[in-house]
């Protein structure tokens, strides 16, 4: 089976072709990031995002067909992100996928964006096996899930306010860094001194697996205000203090979730999973706890079409039928446990 995957939930247009033959192979994938376009506005402008997806989607499809040497007529199903995300951006991918599948006479597979993220480590050379615990840390979500199989997800804990990526982005803005803030803040933190700025560890001892990150951003705001004129070193120290706080909470709760679930594998997915300090600390804690940690390849940490093509393929293989192409609705807000 040849599955086309389309991602357009936010500021990246992703298209990929996945073949289920020979144990499953990603044949080609292509991505266009809108970061440069939104940078001028300090964040994602939804209307511009939708229009850009329209411009990019067909050229990206042509690219993956050309680089895989496959023809449109060979496609057996079209998977696309149905939600959650920006309504207008989702509509572009959904309308395109449904129209193309109608023309080809093949089914569509509407995919939950977070399902794509949490299955993305299966694209790597050393994939995890079901069941595992997933730490999903993206710009819109921070969740711990028990993943028993494809389509079988139980929520163990989640953020009560800001998502981890959102906290990175908002804090970066407070420190005068550009959009997207996460990678910029992480880079600045590398130059910061450990324990020079000590910030709270929200809900570290709450006894449950939930998170709360909005207070951290406020703590940073207070620190910045205390300093009349902020030096580059002070900014780096604050970035370091922020990153260390968020990483400590994420690592502690993720390891605890695996221990409580009685499993031995942890999968980390979503954009914040690209954070180097998070990876360093998780690897160290996991090895102490004798847990195996799995990350997606760096290019599949942030939004991409490959994870959507893979999720579509795995859903079809698991007998979770696709739908007849044609009528559709997007789901800008959509809990993963309802998928
Ligand atoms: O998964 P993703 O690409 O999009 C969503 O589904 O939200 O995640 C994007 C988020 C942004 O908040 C971005 O700042 C954050 O991931 N991010 C990072 C890093 N790279 C991306 N946060 C911290 N450190 C990074 N290296
Ligand atoms: Zn995402």
């Amino acid at each position: 089976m040849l599955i086309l995957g389309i991602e357009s939930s936010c500021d990246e247009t992703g298209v990929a072709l996945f073949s289920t033959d020979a144990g499953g192979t990603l044949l080609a994938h292509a991505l266009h990031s809108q970061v440069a376009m939104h940078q001028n506005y300090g964040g994602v402008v939804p209307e511009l995002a939708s229009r850009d997806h329209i411009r990019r989607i067909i050229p990206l499809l042509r690219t993956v067909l050309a680089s895989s040497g496959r023809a449109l007529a060979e496609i057996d199903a079209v998977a696309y992100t149905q939600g959650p995300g920006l309504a207008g951006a989702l509509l572009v991918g959904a309308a395109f996928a449904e129209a193309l599948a109608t023309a080809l006479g093949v089914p569509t597979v509407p995919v939950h964006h977070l399902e794509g993220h949490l299955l993305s480590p299966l694209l790597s050379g050393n994939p995890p096996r079901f069941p595992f615990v997933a730490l999903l840390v993206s710009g819109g979500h921070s969740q711990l899930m028990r993943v028993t199989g494809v389509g079988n997800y139980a929520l163990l804990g989640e953020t009560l306010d800001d998502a981890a990526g959102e906290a990175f982005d908002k804090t970066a803005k407070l420190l005068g860094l550009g959009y997207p803030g996460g990678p910029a803040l992480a880079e600045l933190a590398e130059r910061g001194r450990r324990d020079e700025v000590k910030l709270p560890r929200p809900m570290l001892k709450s006894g449950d697996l939930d998170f709360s990150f909005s207070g951290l951003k406020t703590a940073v705001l207070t620190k910045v205000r205390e300093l009349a004129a902020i030096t580059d070193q002070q900014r780096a120290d604050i970035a370091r203090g922020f990153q260390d706080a968020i990483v400590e909470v994420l690592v502690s709760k993720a390891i605890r979730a695996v221990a409580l679930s009685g499993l031995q594998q942890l999968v980390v997915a979503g954009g914040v999973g690209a954070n180097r300090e998070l990876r360093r600390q998780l690897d160290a804690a996991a090895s102490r706890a004798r847990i195996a940690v799995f990350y997606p390849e760096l290019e599949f940490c942030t939004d991409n079409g490959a994870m959507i093509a893979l999720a579509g393929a795995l859903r079809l293989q698991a007998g979770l039928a696709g739908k007849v192409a044609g009528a559709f609705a997007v789901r800008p807000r959509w809990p993963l446990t309802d998928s």
Side-chain angles (χ1 to χ4, degrees):
M1 254 190 324
L2 190 62
I3 317 293
L4 177 71
I6 293 174
E7 156 64 32
S8 73
S9 66
C10 189
D11 56 353
E12 257 115 20
T13 324
V15 178
L17 265 181
F18 186 88
S19 164
T20 57
D21 300 345
T25 317
L26 179 64
L27 300 180
H29 71 102
L31 187 81
H32 175 78
S33 166
Q34 303 176 355
V35 161
M37 180 180 76
H38 296 298
Q39 233 152 19
N40 304 327
Y41 306 93
V44 177
V45 183
E47 181 58 24
L48 295 182
S50 312
R51 288 167 191 237
D52 202 60
H53 287 307
I54 293 173
R55 270 194 294 274
R56 306 293 174 181
I57 207 159
I58 292 175
L60 288 172
L61 173 59
R62 290 210 169 103
T63 302
V64 298
L65 289 173
S67 64
S68 63
R70 298 302 183 105
L72 266 185
E74 293 177 67
I75 292 170
D76 296 301
V78 182
Y80 65 92
T81 304
Q82 190 186 17
L86 300 170
L90 289 166
L91 278 168
V92 176
F96 181 76
E98 294 287 352
L100 179 63
T102 302
L104 296 174
V106 300
T108 51
V109 189
V111 169
H112 194 292
H113 180 79
L114 293 183
E115 180 173 36
H117 274 304
L118 72 79
L119 297 177
S120 62
L122 298 175
L123 286 166
S124 70
N126 169 34
R129 286 163 184 255
F130 299 117
F132 53 77
V133 169
L135 171 67
L136 268 176
V137 272
S138 70
H141 295 84
S142 295
Q143 300 184 332
L144 279 160
M145 316 273 320
R146 185 186 211 280
V147 180
T148 308
V150 176
N152 197 339
Y153 314 118
L155 185 67
L156 304 174
E158 65 181 333
T159 182
L160 305 179
D161 40 58
D162 291 352
E166 189 180 359
F168 265 95
D169 293 338
K170 287 178 174 172
T171 303
K173 211 167 204 173
L174 285 176
L175 292 175
L177 304 171
Y179 152 88
L185 191 140
E187 203 185 310
L188 183 61
E190 297 278 333
R191 281 180 272 133
R193 293 166 296 180
R194 188 179 182 80
D195 288 335
E196 194 63 30
V197 173
K198 196 81 181 149
L199 295 174
R201 268 61 176 158
M203 297 187 65
L204 185 61
K205 307 252 183 284
S206 63
D208 56 23
L209 296 171
D210 289 334
F211 307 99
S212 164
F213 297 121
S214 72
L216 259 182
K217 164 195 71 197
T218 315
V220 168
L221 181 62
T222 311
K223 283 270 175 248
V224 171
R225 283 196 178 141
E226 275 168 18
L227 301 164
I230 187 167
T231 65
D232 284 350
Q233 186 60 54
Q234 283 169 327
R235 269 170 11 122
D237 292 341
I238 294 176
R240 172 79 190 259
F242 168 83
Q243 181 169 272
D244 285 350
I246 213 159
V247 163
E248 186 177 334
V249 178
L250 288 174
V251 169
S252 158
K253 299 242 168 172
I255 299 290
R256 188 143 178 266
V258 182
L260 288 174
S261 65
L263 303 179
Q264 278 86 40
Q265 299 175 104
L266 175 68
V267 158
V268 183
V272 183
N275 186 274
R276 265 189 280 162
E277 183 61 15
L278 177 64
R279 290 182 174 217
R280 275 195 288 263
Q281 297 300 332
L282 259 184
D283 287 342
S287 107
R288 285 194 297 273
R290 299 188 187 283
I291 289 168
V293 193
F294 299 84
Y295 304 96
E297 304 288 337
L298 266 184
E299 63 179 331
F300 300 136
C301 265
T302 46
D303 294 348
N304 64 85
M307 67 184 193
I308 303 303
L310 171 75
L314 293 179
R315 284 188 84 85
L316 288 173
Q317 283 185 317
L320 300 164
K323 68 179 245 335
V324 177
F328 68 95
V330 295
R331 305 182 69 176
R333 291 177 169 274
W334 182 13
L336 180 55
T337 40
D338 286 355
S339 66

